[in-house]
Amino acid sequence: MKIALIGYGKMGKAIEAIAVAKGHEISHIIDRDSQHLLEKENLQGADVAIEFTTPETAFSNILKCFEAGVPVVCGTTGWLEHLPEVTAACLEKHQAFLYASNFSIGVNIFFELNKKLAELMGPHTDYNVQMEEIHHTQKKDAPSGTAITLAEQILAASKAKNTRVNEGTHDADKLGIVSKRIDPAPGTHIVNYTSTIDDITIIHTAHSRQGFASGAVKAAEWLKDKKGVFSMKDVLNL
């Protein structure tokens, strides 16, 4: 495939290395100094775009890809207030879009474990559930997109919690998420249920960005030639 990389930070470079190793061509590298490549006439040669930028630019970047008829795999977090608009634009223009808060295969399996555990624990209000996430200091959003996904799964099943807060809390109706920024941590997510009798804890720890980058390339391979709005659950058949 010909892949347009939108965003050329550490994740973009990790994606580039894996894509090239798998025999794909990086047709465009688009960062702050090459925004002209996002114009329709320049972007149309790409088979798929992989977008890892900032919450402030992701929405515009995605719409420009739709205008060029290029499918988009997006891993930028912190912009999801615009997701309904992106979904509508994708369907209206008969394009393809895949968003994930985390592309790691392990994390997506972790999502399924978290969802099932939340469903099992939902009726047991004597357990208090809280979360913690740890990332590197360059992480721009807090809580992380992965943590938000985990929290939404818990809130959907919980009989006690009805909202999330980005801090530790003793309020029974609030799900606390403690966000820590420590270098060089690529990402750790902890979900902890505590009671006076025992604790249940599930943890996912990433050792590097390679899992995220590899999953993003896998998603791009899967999305090529499709139409519609998808997630990693579709890619991994979860």
Side-chain angles (χ1 to χ4, degrees):
M1 294 188 304
K2 292 183 178 180
I3 299 174
L5 285 181
I6 306 176
Y8 199 54
K10 292 178 180 178
M11 268 302 299
K13 292 180 174 67
I15 291 167
E16 177 185 33
I18 289 172
V20 170
K22 295 185 74 172
H24 300 303
E25 175 188 343
I26 304 302
S27 59
H28 304 68
I29 293 176
I30 303 168
D31 58 17
R32 282 177 291 187
D33 298 325
S34 54
Q35 289 294 300
H36 66 283
L37 294 177
L38 273 171
E39 298 305 319
K40 181 177 180 179
E41 61 273 15
N42 294 325
L43 195 58
Q44 284 179 322
D47 294 312
V48 64
I50 302 179
E51 205 274 356
F52 275 84
T53 59
T54 67
E56 295 76 26
T57 58
F59 178 50
S60 173
N61 292 341
I62 294 163
L63 294 185
K64 287 180 179 179
C65 289
F66 291 165
E67 288 295 326
V70 177
V72 189
V73 170
C74 177
T76 305
T77 58
W79 62 276
L80 292 188
E81 68 275 13
H82 295 297
L83 185 57
E85 296 166 78
V86 165
T87 299
C90 179
L91 297 176
E92 179 186 343
K93 295 180 180 297
H94 304 289
Q95 297 302 316
F97 177 68
L98 190 153
Y99 168 77
S101 58
N102 195 308
F103 285 92
S104 161
I105 293 172
V107 164
N108 281 276
I109 293 172
F110 189 67
F111 285 152
E112 297 303 304
L113 290 172
N114 178 66
K115 184 178 178 181
K116 182 63 177 178
L117 181 58
E119 291 169 354
L120 292 171
M121 297 301 292
H124 301 288
T125 54
D126 48 330
Y127 283 85
N128 183 50
V129 58
Q130 298 291 313
M131 293 174 53
E132 180 178 314
E133 56 102 351
I134 308 167
H135 282 85
H136 52 85
T137 57
Q138 293 178 324
K139 177 75 172 169
K140 292 181 171 59
D141 52 327
S144 68
T146 300
I148 291 172
T149 299
L150 293 166
E152 288 174 345
Q153 292 176 328
I154 293 167
L155 292 172
S158 176
K159 295 186 181 302
K161 307 291 185 184
N162 54 42
T163 189
R164 59 178 169 88
V165 292
N166 193 207
E167 60 185 358
T169 178
H170 296 292
D171 292 345
D173 62 340
K174 294 179 180 176
L175 172 60
I177 307 173
V178 176
S179 296
K180 298 180 179 179
R181 297 293 176 260
I182 304 168
D183 286 328
T188 296
H189 293 85
I190 303 167
V191 179
N192 188 33
Y193 291 83
T194 63
S195 75
T196 57
I197 298 172
D198 55 16
D199 293 355
I200 301 173
T201 303
I202 57 173
I203 303 172
H204 180 275
T205 302
H207 300 306
S208 71
R209 290 182 176 84
Q210 186 169 352
F212 312 138
S214 178
V217 174
K218 184 180 183 72
E221 292 170 334
W222 184 90
L223 189 64
K224 183 177 181 289
D225 298 327
K226 290 184 173 64
K227 302 294 181 185
V229 178
F230 305 98
S231 72
M232 282 300 285
K233 290 187 70 169
D234 300 301
V235 178
L236 300 175
N237 196 28
L238 294 174

